[in-house]
Amino acid sequence: MEAHRISNPAELKEAFAVRTAVFVEEQQVPREAESDEHDRTDATHYLARAADGTACGAARWRPTDKGVKLERFAVLAPYRNQAAGAALLAQVLRDVDAAYPQALVYLHAQLPAVRFYERHGFVKDGPRFTECDIEHYRMRWQRP
């Protein structure tokens, strides 16, 4: 698996297709909640590709008034547990750490993903909450 920062409109379209498949079609998140103004303004987007070149994962991050928020991590079902998420997260964290070395880095993790994020240096930071009818925890990154 390989993950990189998106650098052209064609890759952004592929990332949006991954997100639509995971969030809108699989998880039944309303389309209007999945996509927002940050997609085209202040978010930095990433794409993961399988060895055969298939776009299989997507993510984004953006600065907020609370720190840097990692968002919209999605991996297509056939590619889960094959390191696509780990490749995305590693690349995102490298770039965020280089751009904002002192900032708080946080995300909203769906319950099934909490252990994944814990393995990559995140800790729960608050009570469980519901977003788009899906249970989440706010988590923050503990830099190594």
Side-chain angles (χ1 to χ4, degrees):
M1 293 291 169
E2 171 273 325
H4 63 276
R5 186 182 313 188
I6 290 174
S7 62
N8 64 63
E11 287 185 330
L12 189 58
K13 186 175 179 179
E14 288 179 291
F16 289 159
V18 168
R19 287 172 36 186
T20 297
V22 172
F23 296 125
V24 177
E25 296 167 11
E26 180 182 334
Q27 296 183 343
Q28 301 299 303
V29 170
R31 190 174 300 275
E32 59 275 8
E34 194 288 314
S35 182
D36 63 20
E37 70 277 2
H38 301 292
D39 277 334
R40 303 221 186 275
T41 57
D42 59 342
T44 301
H45 297 271
Y46 291 77
L47 188 66
R49 290 194 185 281
D52 67 0
T54 302
C56 62
R60 76 179 196 189
W61 64 267
R62 64 186 175 91
T64 73
D65 59 354
K66 297 174 187 146
V68 176
K69 186 176 184 188
L70 312 187
E71 302 175 308
R72 306 302 199 274
F73 276 80
V75 175
L76 296 175
Y79 297 93
R80 291 181 192 147
N81 300 309
Q82 296 180 34
L88 277 167
L89 185 57
Q91 186 61 56
V92 166
L93 289 175
R94 275 192 297 275
D95 290 356
V96 167
D97 194 42
Y100 296 92
Q102 303 302 317
L104 169 74
V105 177
Y106 69 101
L107 52 78
H108 294 169
Q110 293 182 8
L111 290 189
V114 167
R115 283 194 182 147
F116 166 79
Y117 290 114
E118 287 174 335
R119 286 193 308 270
H120 294 278
F122 285 79
V123 294
K124 290 179 190 170
D125 187 24
R128 189 162 69 181
F129 64 94
T130 301
E131 192 172 70
C132 292
D133 291 328
I134 299 170
E135 298 281 313
H136 289 75
Y137 276 102
R138 177 184 155 104
M139 300 184 80
R140 62 183 161 76
W141 185 39
Q142 308 254 89
R143 284 184 165 88

